[in-house]
Every structure is written in C-alpha cells, then in structure tokens.
C-alpha cells in the first residue's frame, strides 16, 4: 500500500487502462508510513471525456454526452463557479459561439434561424438517462439574415407540459424587443396568445389600497401632453375594433364599437 513519507498533503497524476486522473489525498498528520487514501479530482477517460466532482463516469444525459462533465453526490461536488476578482465594473463571463465554418477559427457567418446556444434542463425519469428527461430549455437563435455589424437575435423559453415529454415554446423575446407569450410572432412589446381553453390573463393580487400598488398603469404620451390618446383597444375575433378607452391629461372616456358614441365621456374629452 502507498504511504506518506511525512506530514502534509499528497497528489499524483495517475495513468491506468487508457484513463488519466489527477488524484489527491487528505492532509496527513500521522507522520511517515501513514496509509494514503486517494480521491480523484479530475479524470480524462479513454474516449476523451473529462469529468470533475466526485463521480467520474461520463454519462449521456438527454441528447448529449458532454465532453466535460461535473458530477457529484454533494452540493459542492455538483457545482460550477465562475469567479472574478478585479477592481473593475466587469464581471465573470459564460460565452457561447456559433459559426457556419467547418474548421476551428473560421469566420463564416450563420443564417437566419441558426441556434447560437442553448441551456437545457434534464431530470431522471426511472427509465433511461439517454435521450429522455428533457424538462426545459432556453435557446438563442439568429432572428434575421445577419451581416457585418448586423446581428439580430432572439431568445426563446421552453418547458415540458404535464403528461408529455416534448418541450413547448412558452415565451419569446425577438430582435425588436417584442415579447410573445405562447406566440412566436409577437407584434407588440407584450403579445400574449391563447387557444382552446387556454385564456390570456394577467392577475396581480394585492391588499394595498395605495396608488403605488396599482395592478396596471397606463401612461399615454399624447395624454400626458394634453392631447387625447387611445389607452386600450378592444377587437373581436376578426380584428375589428369594437370599443376603446381614451384619455387625456384630465379625464378618461369609455367608447362603444363606433368609437364616436361614448358609453361614458367627461365633458373635456
């Protein structure tokens, strides 16, 4: 058995059966000839997969067998930290890159729709780890044909519904900054769509009666300038305007489908 030659720490670079490991042993205070107990900190196996943590068998999780895996049976062993100590405003960085070139360092640009990077979540499902357990994902895609100094992109957020193993897109932020909820072609800053029994609703619960706790605030630039502006438009299923709410700097009017016959209209509107 391997033994310490004195007090202190021990480490080794170990090669066996095509694998290479960096191993460490706890601090010894028992003097020379104390038995060494090795633990593996990093392993490169015979297929080129590198593992860190305290579990060193590379696994195919979901759709990928990652070249670098951190696995463990404790919180610390299964955690990755990116730390930066510097007297600047900048912080640490996690960077994704995608190009259409077929060799390292190529600068060939991507195309509309290309995935620039994904973050995925998977879970065990009492079956297999390989190709299963997809739970959620965030994608970044090119959102129009790119060019020099022109890099349109979008983010999309996916979750898996109950009773299914297929991810569904739930929210998208497109190149114009429009946000779509269950809507992959948002036309407005917030554009929610619904189908079937699903209803587009927003709810906020509060027991605060102050103005600062208002559930919804509408502020129209024309209205704050003294002119009349539309605050809310109501449309039927065909997109025909059937009503509106208008306001100016001093009052609000509620209008029926004609938009000229108010249901309620203060004298100054």
């Amino acid at each position: 058995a391997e033994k310490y030659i004195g007090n202190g720490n021990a480490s080794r670079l170990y090669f066996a059966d095509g694998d290479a490991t960096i191993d460490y042993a706890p601090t010894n205070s028992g003097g020379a000839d104390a038995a060494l107990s090795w633990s593996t900190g990093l392993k490169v196996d015979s297929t080129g997969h590198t593992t860190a943590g305290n579990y060193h068998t590379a696994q195919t999780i979901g759709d990928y067998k990652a070249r670098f895996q951190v696995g463990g049976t404790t919180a610390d062993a299964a955690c990755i930290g990116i730390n930066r100590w510097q007297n600047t405003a900048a912080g640490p960085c996690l960077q994704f890159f995608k190009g259409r070139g077929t060799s390292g360092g190529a600068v060939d640009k991507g195309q509309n729709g290309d995935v620039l990077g994904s973050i995925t979540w998977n879970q065990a499902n009492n079956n297999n780890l390989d190709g299963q357990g997809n739970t959620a994902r965030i994608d970044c895609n090119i959102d129009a044909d790119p060019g020099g100094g022109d890099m349109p992109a979008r983010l999309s957020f996916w979750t898996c519904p109950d009773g299914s193993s297929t991810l569904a897109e739930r929210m998208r932020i497109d190149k114009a900054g429009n946000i779509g909820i269950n809507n992959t072609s948002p036309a407005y800053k917030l554009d929610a769509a619904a189908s079937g029994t699903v209803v587009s609703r927003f709810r906020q619960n509060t027991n605060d009666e102050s103005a600062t706790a208002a559930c919804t605030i509408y502020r129209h630039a024309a209205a704050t300038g003294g002119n009349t502006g539309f605050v809310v438009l109501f449309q039927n299923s065909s997109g025909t305007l059937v009503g509106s709410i208008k306001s100016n700097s001093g009052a609000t009017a509620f209008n029926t489908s004609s938009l000229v016959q108010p249901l309620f209209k203060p004298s100054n509107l």
Side-chain angles (χ1 to χ4, degrees):
E2 295 179 275
K3 298 181 180 181
Y4 287 96
I5 60 174
N7 292 335
N9 301 313
S11 59
R12 70 178 180 181
L13 179 60
Y14 186 71
F15 299 92
D17 299 324
D19 300 337
T21 63
I22 298 176
D23 301 330
Y24 62 93
T27 301
N28 173 47
S29 59
D33 295 331
L36 277 165
S37 178
W38 295 108
S39 297
T40 296
L42 193 71
K43 175 182 175 181
V44 181
D45 68 18
S46 58
T47 63
H49 292 87
T50 302
T51 55
N54 65 10
Y55 177 77
H56 293 282
T57 301
Q59 296 285 344
T60 300
I61 305 293
D63 298 325
Y64 306 101
K65 188 174 185 179
R67 281 293 183 178
F68 182 75
Q69 301 184 22
V70 177
T73 56
T74 66
D76 290 344
C79 179
I80 298 175
I82 304 176
N83 311 310
R84 178 173 179 172
W85 288 271
Q86 186 180 15
N87 188 20
T88 68
C93 175
L94 178 64
Q95 179 173 282
F96 296 81
F97 169 83
K98 169 67 167 68
R100 282 267 178 163
T102 57
S103 60
V107 297
D108 306 59
K109 69 177 183 178
Q111 299 178 10
N112 184 25
D114 284 1
V115 180
L116 299 178
S118 298
I119 301 174
T120 64
W121 286 263
N122 301 80
Q123 61 176 309
N125 64 353
N126 290 331
N127 194 355
N128 296 318
L129 298 176
D130 183 358
Q132 302 190 38
N134 294 324
T135 302
R137 187 177 78 231
I138 300 175
D139 289 342
C140 178
N141 297 74
I142 298 176
D143 206 23
D145 289 331
D150 182 20
M151 298 291 151
R154 68 174 181 264
L155 291 174
S156 57
F157 300 78
W158 304 65
T159 62
C160 191
D162 189 22
S164 173
S165 60
T166 301
L167 295 177
E169 184 174 341
R170 306 302 191 182
M171 187 174 75
R172 172 178 296 201
I173 305 173
D174 70 10
K175 61 182 181 293
N178 294 333
I179 300 173
I181 299 177
N182 291 325
N183 184 353
T184 59
S185 300
Y188 309 100
K189 289 306 175 187
L190 180 59
D191 198 346
S195 61
T197 59
V198 179
V199 180
S200 298
R201 290 177 177 171
F202 171 78
R203 181 173 68 182
Q204 176 180 322
N205 297 324
T206 178
N207 60 2
D208 190 335
E209 297 179 0
S210 66
T212 56
C215 290
T216 306
I217 299 175
Y218 296 98
R219 180 174 295 175
H220 198 292
T224 58
N227 300 313
T228 298
F230 287 102
V231 175
V232 180
L233 299 178
F234 300 94
Q235 298 178 340
N236 62 20
S237 59
S238 299
T240 302
L241 201 59
V242 297
S244 69
I245 300 175
K246 301 170 67 176
S247 70
N248 63 19
S249 58
T252 299
F254 301 83
N255 302 285
T256 58
S257 58
S258 66
L259 295 182
V260 294
Q261 299 295 326
L263 181 65
F264 168 74
K265 180 179 181 180
S267 60
N268 60 343
L269 269 175

